[in-house]
Amino acid sequence: MIGIWKFAALGAAMIVLWQGAPASADASLDWRQFRLDAQHTGFNRSETVLSQKNVRELGVAWEDQVGALVDYSSPVVANGRVFIGSTDGTLWAFKDRGCGQSLCTNPLWSSTSLGQIRDTPTVANGLVYVGSQTSFDDASGKLDVFAAKGCAHSQCAPLWQGVAGTQSILESSPTVANGIVFVGAFDGKLYAFPATGCGEALCQPLWTATTGGSIESTPTVNHGVVYVGSDDGKLYAISASGCGASSCAPLWTGDLGSAIFQSTPAIAKGLVYIAGQHTLAAFAIAGCGASTCKPVWQASDDGEFYNASPAIANGRLYIPWSTGLAVYDAKGCGRTNCEKLWILFGDGAQAAIISSPTVANGVVYAGRNTGEVLAWGAGPCGSDVCENLWSGMTGDPIVSSSPTVANGRLYIGSADDGGTPPQGRLYVFALP
């Protein structure tokens, strides 16, 4: 059994609530950071409940109410809790199995106001890291760090904060590796802080690295190198241990020729993948022996990749393109420029996909700016265009949050239906 039905009386009416799959004590089933794993592949190998056979049965199991619209922040699941940020500058912590009602309004805890949050929290070593701006009156960047279990009160202040320049941390989510937490800011700098803090309420960075544009990309760390994209259209590879100085130069850069906005590097089998506005590129993770490197392969056409992050699963790459998802062979095509293997097309009204795709147990999920989250089969369908298997509605037309699929549930951030101003929501879909 993957769950139990519960009944709750609301006045004279009776509604049926689905509790969903039970939480697992296996931490490997958690989703603790943006794009799931250290390589930021967006591929959950541990999911076994949801599949192509039953995904059409998904429905909204419950909603968690948050303060304001969820914009780009994506849910993370760890130790029976789910965390998400909202644009009113609040970090929220809920039970990952809901509250036994269709709408949950009592979080386990929430943060004090942090200005705004548009990135995804990261959970590591009992701490939750999230980027923000200082306040609505002060747009300087802050890395905010909380105890994941909360603070014995309903509202918690940060244990400590990292000072991250004069401009906000926007969609760049924190990455923790080897005792250091990395995050990018809109001032164009990558910041590195000690993951355990500095013993003070405000911590200065261990070191920074400056790019030629703003950073909304999430850093990815692999074998001592941190990779991050910049709005100047370049992928930067920087030593994760720093350089012995306060400001570090990159080991090498890769040129995409178009701005890299929210796209996060994904790593698989010796390649690092990232998307610019008009170009998808794969670089060798070791570089090319020069200061500037060309892609091993790339894809570019008249469409736009909308700067979402690629998902890498079973030798294929999935990336938003125009109003659907494009699928490529992850190893390339033996040429410099590669064509799509096929396109994943969503039925109904058409709109951009800016949500980064997730792959789990043979299914690909992504939000679309029709207020929907959609699911496709991950494999070929015998045609150049494959239609979606399922779609589910959220409450706001713009779905920039990326789906989290863990323990038989799909979590995604959005807003309520028609609220003025919109009330933030965490939507949880599960099987009946």
Side-chain angles (χ1 to χ4, degrees):
M1 264 181 91
I2 58 173
I4 59 173
W5 290 100
K6 286 194 173 181
F7 298 87
L10 295 180
M14 185 74 75
I15 64 171
V16 181
L17 302 175
W18 176 237
Q19 182 168 302
S24 170
D26 185 356
S28 67
L29 301 182
D30 287 344
W31 186 298
R32 293 172 172 264
Q33 61 184 313
F34 185 57
R35 312 305 292 144
L36 176 63
D37 54 26
Q39 290 72 44
H40 288 153
T41 61
F43 175 29
N44 188 352
R45 296 171 175 84
S46 300
E47 176 58 33
T48 59
V49 177
L50 301 181
S51 69
Q52 291 189 45
K53 293 181 179 179
N54 60 26
V55 71
R56 292 179 177 88
E57 301 174 32
L58 278 176
V60 176
W62 69 87
E63 303 170 25
D64 291 317
Q65 180 177 299
V66 302
L69 174 70
V70 176
D71 188 22
Y72 283 101
S73 187
S74 300
V76 296
V77 178
N79 301 323
R81 296 178 174 87
V82 55
F83 301 90
I84 196 166
S86 54
T87 52
D88 60 354
T90 306
L91 175 68
W92 303 85
F94 293 93
K95 293 180 180 179
D96 70 350
R97 290 181 290 174
C99 61
Q101 299 181 21
S102 59
L103 178 62
C104 300
T105 59
N106 294 314
L108 293 171
W109 60 270
S110 62
S111 73
T112 51
S113 180
L114 303 170
Q116 66 171 329
I117 297 175
R118 296 183 183 272
D119 59 314
T120 298
T122 295
V123 181
N125 302 317
L127 300 175
V128 185
Y129 304 82
V130 70
S132 71
Q133 67 182 47
T134 298
S135 69
F136 287 104
D137 298 322
D138 182 355
S140 57
K142 287 289 188 296
L143 172 70
D144 308 287
V145 186
F146 301 85
K149 64 182 179 181
C151 60
H153 300 284
S154 60
Q155 191 176 61
C156 300
L159 298 174
W160 59 272
Q161 294 178 298
V163 179
T166 59
Q167 297 186 45
S168 305
I169 296 173
L170 294 177
E171 291 86 3
S172 182
S173 302
T175 295
V176 180
N178 300 320
I180 299 176
V181 53
F182 303 90
V183 70
F186 203 66
D187 63 359
K189 292 183 179 181
L190 175 72
Y191 289 84
F193 297 93
T196 55
C198 61
E200 304 289 340
L202 289 178
C203 296
Q204 298 299 320
L206 296 170
W207 53 269
T208 66
T210 302
T211 72
S214 303
I215 297 179
E216 298 143 281
S217 172
T218 295
T220 299
V221 182
N222 184 73
H223 293 299
V225 178
V226 55
Y227 303 86
V228 70
S230 174
D231 287 4
D232 66 356
K234 294 180 181 180
L235 171 71
Y236 286 76
I238 303 157
S239 172
S241 59
C243 60
S246 60
S247 180
C248 298
L251 301 172
W252 57 271
T253 63
D255 194 354
L256 275 76
S258 61
I260 300 170
F261 296 130
Q262 291 85 23
S263 189
T264 290
I267 292 176
K269 296 188 175 181
L271 295 177
V272 52
Y273 306 86
I274 194 166
Q277 188 171 13
H278 298 290
T279 306
L280 167 70
F283 296 89
I285 59 172
C288 60
S291 60
T292 302
C293 297
K294 295 181 179 180
V296 173
W297 67 268
Q298 64 181 21
S300 57
D301 50 38
D302 294 334
E304 291 191 0
F305 292 103
Y306 286 108
N307 304 293
S309 305
I312 313 294
N314 299 319
R316 298 189 184 104
L317 181 149
Y318 305 84
I319 184 78
W321 173 81
S322 188
T323 61
L325 297 182
V327 185
Y328 294 89
D329 189 325
K331 67 177 181 293
C333 58
R335 299 184 301 276
T336 302
N337 292 286
C338 296
E339 299 294 329
K340 307 173 191 67
L341 296 176
W342 65 85
I343 293 172
L344 301 178
F345 175 79
D347 58 10
Q350 298 300 296
I353 293 179
I354 59 176
S355 168
S356 297
T358 291
V359 184
N361 201 22
V363 184
V364 186
Y365 305 84
R368 184 174 67 179
N369 287 351
T370 51
E372 295 172 280
V373 55
L374 299 100
W376 297 265
C381 64
S383 172
D384 291 338
V385 179
C386 300
E387 295 188 355
N388 58 295
L389 303 172
W390 168 85
S391 66
M393 292 300 300
T394 70
D396 189 78
I398 306 301
V399 185
S400 52
S401 180
S402 299
T404 291
V405 178
N407 301 317
R409 306 183 200 96
L410 188 159
Y411 304 82
I412 195 164
S414 182
D416 61 357
D417 188 6
T420 305
Q423 182 80 45
R425 289 287 190 273
L426 169 67
Y427 287 86
V428 185
F429 295 84
L431 298 173

